[in-house]
Amino acid sequence: MSEHTDVQDNWLQWLHSLVESMPTPAMVFTTPPRLDPKLPLKGANEALARVLGRSLDELRGLTIPDISDPEDAARDAALFLDLLAQKRTQYTIEKRFLHASGAFFPCFLTVWKVHHADDRVTCMATVTDISDVKKLEEAKRSSEHFVSATPDHISFLGLDYRYVAINDSYLRAHEMTREEIVGHTIAELLGSDTFNDLIKSNIDRCFNGEAINYEAWFNFPAENRRCMTVTYVPSRDTDGKIVGALVSSRDITEIRNLQTDLARFQKLEAIGRLSCTVAHDFNNLLMVISGATELARVGASKGKVVVRRMYLARGVRSDRECPNSRLVQSHPSAPTQSVISTELRRVGSSSRKAS
């Protein structure tokens, strides 16, 4: 009996030494014949102490429930009972451990039954902190929600020009299901002409490591022809190798239509300003003629000359309003013949009649 006890003690000592030398957070505990819910720790290593924010001395006085989420107690007890009943020899679960700061952190706990004697089960367990994994998963869920909510058309293309993933806006624009797009090529969706003439050269540059941005018009079944600004960004794996392209397309049709309308209005405004300037200059010319005839009437000594120039002045005064009414017209249907030449001919005709 003493020899058996010595062998068992030597074996447990070897197990503790093994756990202490492991780089992975690990511990040893033994279940009593009647399951003790406290399950005191029999050994632990420095790696586990660091993860829990405690010293090895502090860990030796603790039990499994002391470092676990209370919500896990019932499940832990049931799994330990399975070990006692030899229903299983190991298991891996996700659970939360308690840090010395009072915060719980997620981890994977893997438990092995390494010795079973006298209705006692000795177990070794390793702990893997998965806090970073959980943060990445949360970030991924947030990004997926953002990608789904954005009105931009987002897609991921493989090096074979096939769609790997798309967002809901892309589906709505093309009035298709995800299964009808994912796994298919760009040419199958947008047509061979569009792919070869517009997309392929740009996407190939992206696959060579260049970020691409361009603007083009595309045909959509739901919204007809739309102007889109398209961005291709290379996607790389952890080794830096390009594995595809992230594509973002934004509808700027309304902006382009407004810019076209603004350019047209600005052109009409410029024509109107030019017409007003010409009319003003022409009125100045007529004022000079009218003033000269008035002076001639006052200083003339012969009635015939006075009458003729009075007729000329009257004709000039009657024609002074004509340029404003004709030159201000900026509509494309307005006459293209020189209005100034027409008015000068009318003045000359009035002069000949007076003579």
Side-chain angles (χ1 to χ4, degrees):
M1 183 68 179
S2 176
E3 183 180 352
H4 174 73
T5 302
D6 291 340
V7 171
Q8 184 173 350
D9 290 342
N10 290 336
W11 183 87
L12 288 174
Q13 185 178 359
W14 172 84
L15 180 61
H16 290 169
S17 299
L18 175 64
V19 168
E20 290 174 359
S21 64
M22 292 175 62
T24 304
M27 56 185 167
V28 176
F29 59 89
T30 300
T31 62
R34 307 180 88 180
L35 183 63
D36 184 356
K38 292 184 178 180
L39 293 174
L41 297 179
K42 296 296 184 180
N45 61 3
E46 289 284 355
L48 181 64
R50 286 194 300 269
V51 168
L52 297 174
R54 302 174 185 271
S55 67
L56 282 176
D57 291 337
E58 290 175 324
L59 288 181
R60 291 190 184 101
L62 298 178
T63 64
I64 295 293
D66 290 335
I67 59 174
S68 299
D69 186 340
E71 295 182 358
D72 295 339
R75 182 183 59 173
D76 290 344
L79 291 170
F80 294 147
L81 281 175
D82 286 347
L83 292 177
L84 274 175
Q86 301 188 35
K87 293 181 179 179
R88 64 175 74 228
T89 58
Q90 70 175 50
Y91 61 85
T92 299
I93 58 173
E94 181 179 332
K95 63 180 280 120
R96 299 203 307 167
F97 277 115
L98 179 64
H99 191 269
S101 63
F104 288 101
F105 64 92
C107 66
F108 284 133
L109 175 68
T110 302
V111 179
W112 293 271
K113 183 176 71 174
V114 295
H115 189 263
H116 192 172
D118 300 330
D119 293 329
R120 293 176 182 270
V121 176
T122 300
C123 300
M124 182 177 73
T126 59
V127 177
T128 304
D129 187 354
I130 57 172
S131 300
D132 292 338
V133 175
K134 291 296 183 181
K135 291 178 181 178
L136 288 175
E137 290 178 351
E138 181 61 29
K140 181 181 178 182
R141 284 192 294 268
S142 299
S143 62
E144 288 175 349
H145 174 73
F146 170 77
V147 169
S148 298
T150 179
D152 293 350
H153 303 174
I154 307 295
S155 61
F156 183 81
L157 297 172
L159 297 178
D160 56 356
Y161 310 109
R162 294 182 182 275
Y163 289 93
V164 177
I166 51 177
N167 70 341
D168 293 342
S169 297
Y170 205 100
L171 295 177
R172 288 192 294 269
H174 291 275
E175 294 187 340
M176 301 176 72
T177 64
R178 200 173 302 275
E179 292 73 19
E180 291 174 321
I181 298 179
V182 173
H184 296 271
T185 64
I186 304 174
E188 291 174 333
L189 180 66
L190 302 180
S192 299
D193 292 340
T194 300
F195 173 69
N196 292 322
D197 298 341
L198 177 62
I199 297 176
K200 188 177 186 302
S201 59
N202 288 313
I203 199 68
D204 285 344
R205 289 167 58 194
C206 179
F207 288 157
N208 287 326
E210 185 178 353
I212 305 296
N213 182 268
Y214 66 94
E215 183 180 309
W217 289 84
F218 293 89
N219 294 320
F220 292 92
E223 301 173 348
N224 300 320
R225 191 166 175 79
R226 309 296 292 179
C227 183
M228 309 291 292
T229 176
V230 184
T231 301
Y232 298 149
V233 179
S235 178
R236 303 176 185 270
D237 60 14
T238 55
D239 296 328
K241 182 181 178 181
I242 295 177
V243 294
L246 180 64
V247 183
S248 175
S249 303
R250 176 167 296 182
D251 189 348
I252 58 170
T253 306
E254 301 304 326
I255 296 176
R256 287 294 170 263
N257 289 340
L258 289 174
Q259 290 176 338
T260 300
D261 292 342
L262 178 61
R264 183 171 64 252
F265 293 149
Q266 289 175 337
K267 181 177 180 181
L268 294 176
E269 181 184 14
I271 294 175
R273 285 198 300 268
L274 177 62
S275 299
C276 290
T277 301
V278 173
H280 177 72
D281 292 342
F282 189 64
N283 279 335
N284 291 340
L285 176 62
L286 295 181
M287 286 294 294
V288 172
I289 298 175
S290 177
T293 55
E294 289 296 326
L295 290 175
R297 183 182 64 80
V298 173
S301 58
K302 294 183 180 181
K304 183 177 179 181
V305 175
V306 170
V307 170
R308 191 180 76 176
R309 293 187 178 178
M310 286 177 62
Y311 270 107
L312 177 60
R314 190 182 308 139
V316 169
R317 282 193 295 270
S318 65
D319 288 337
R320 280 174 58 189
E321 302 301 325
C322 292
N324 285 330
S325 61
R326 296 188 182 185
L327 291 178
V328 173
Q329 298 178 17
S330 59
H331 194 274
S333 61
T336 57
Q337 185 178 4
S338 174
V339 179
I340 296 178
S341 299
T342 303
E343 301 306 328
L344 289 176
R345 284 197 297 271
R346 290 185 55 179
V347 172
S349 176
S350 298
S351 175
R352 285 193 299 274
K353 289 179 182 179
S355 62

